[in-house]
Amino acid sequence: MARNPLSQQALLEMSRNCAAVLNEVGVDASTAQLVAAAGVSERTFFRYFPMKADCLRPIMEDGYLRFVSAVQDNCGAGESTDLLEIVCSAFIAAYGHGEDGLDQRFLELITSAEIYRRLWLAINEETMQALYAPMSQVLGLPEDHIDVRIAADAATRLAVESIRLMALYSLSAHQAATQVADALRRHPLMRPAAHR
């Protein structure tokens, strides 16, 4: 008899439990410790998380999906056409409440430990692709237009650098995203040609 697959919510809970172990033990947490934290058999653990690092995929994906959703909401609201403002407020909405398990030690782990950093970088690529549609909407251009792709890349870069600042300096999502947005605004490539 076939088993029902685990729900996304169940996988997210397992991922949060694994993140708690990694927060406590660090990168050297054993597979056995992660399996125990997930609360399933080793066979079930590896069915859903084929590689050890994959146990963090649901929690990372949850963050990026909340971020993309917040960008879509902000783009659809039509209150602003300032992409940096849209993306900055979306990042704060997605990561500013602290219930996602992304505490200081977890952020340090995913941004520096090679096994988890690779997964994080792959998810950043997925984030960028998911942002094509909302960037297309706010810019009024087709999704495959170069301006849309560059905007999606810049939005992802804001999120990536904000998470790095949170990891390095214990900043809040608001502090980190605001600093990154301000830095991007100061950058010559981000200013209109007349002001360069």
Side-chain angles (χ1 to χ4, degrees), residues 54-181:
D54 290 330
C55 72
L56 296 184
R57 179 175 276 282
I59 199 170
M60 290 186 202
E61 285 179 338
D62 181 64
Y64 109 68
L65 291 172
R66 284 185 288 112
F67 173 58
V68 170
S69 177
V71 170
Q72 289 170 331
D73 290 347
N74 289 353
C75 288
E79 295 172 6
S80 174
T81 55
D82 180 338
L83 284 179
L84 277 176
E85 183 181 315
I86 287 170
V87 174
C88 183
S89 61
F91 182 86
I92 294 164
Y95 292 104
H97 303 294
E99 74 265 357
D100 48 26
L102 300 185
D103 70 6
Q104 179 71 22
R105 188 136 184 217
F106 181 82
L107 292 173
E108 289 170 6
L109 180 85
I110 66 169
T111 57
S112 61
E114 188 63 27
I115 183 175
Y116 300 107
R117 193 170 69 86
R118 278 190 220 145
L119 176 62
W120 179 57
L121 293 174
I123 287 175
N124 291 332
E125 178 69 21
E126 293 171 22
T127 302
M128 184 178 66
Q129 292 175 14
L131 287 169
Y132 291 160
M135 295 294 110
S136 169
Q137 179 184 353
V138 78
L139 292 173
L141 295 168
E143 285 187 29
D144 62 351
H145 194 282
I146 187 65
D147 288 0
V148 169
R149 291 177 179 265
I150 295 298
D153 183 71
T156 305
R157 174 59 48 201
L158 181 139
V160 166
E161 294 306 327
S162 296
I163 286 175
R164 283 193 175 127
L165 284 181
M166 290 167 71
L168 287 170
Y169 304 112
S170 300
L171 299 182
S172 69
H174 183 275
Q175 291 168 321
T178 301
Q179 284 189 30
V180 173

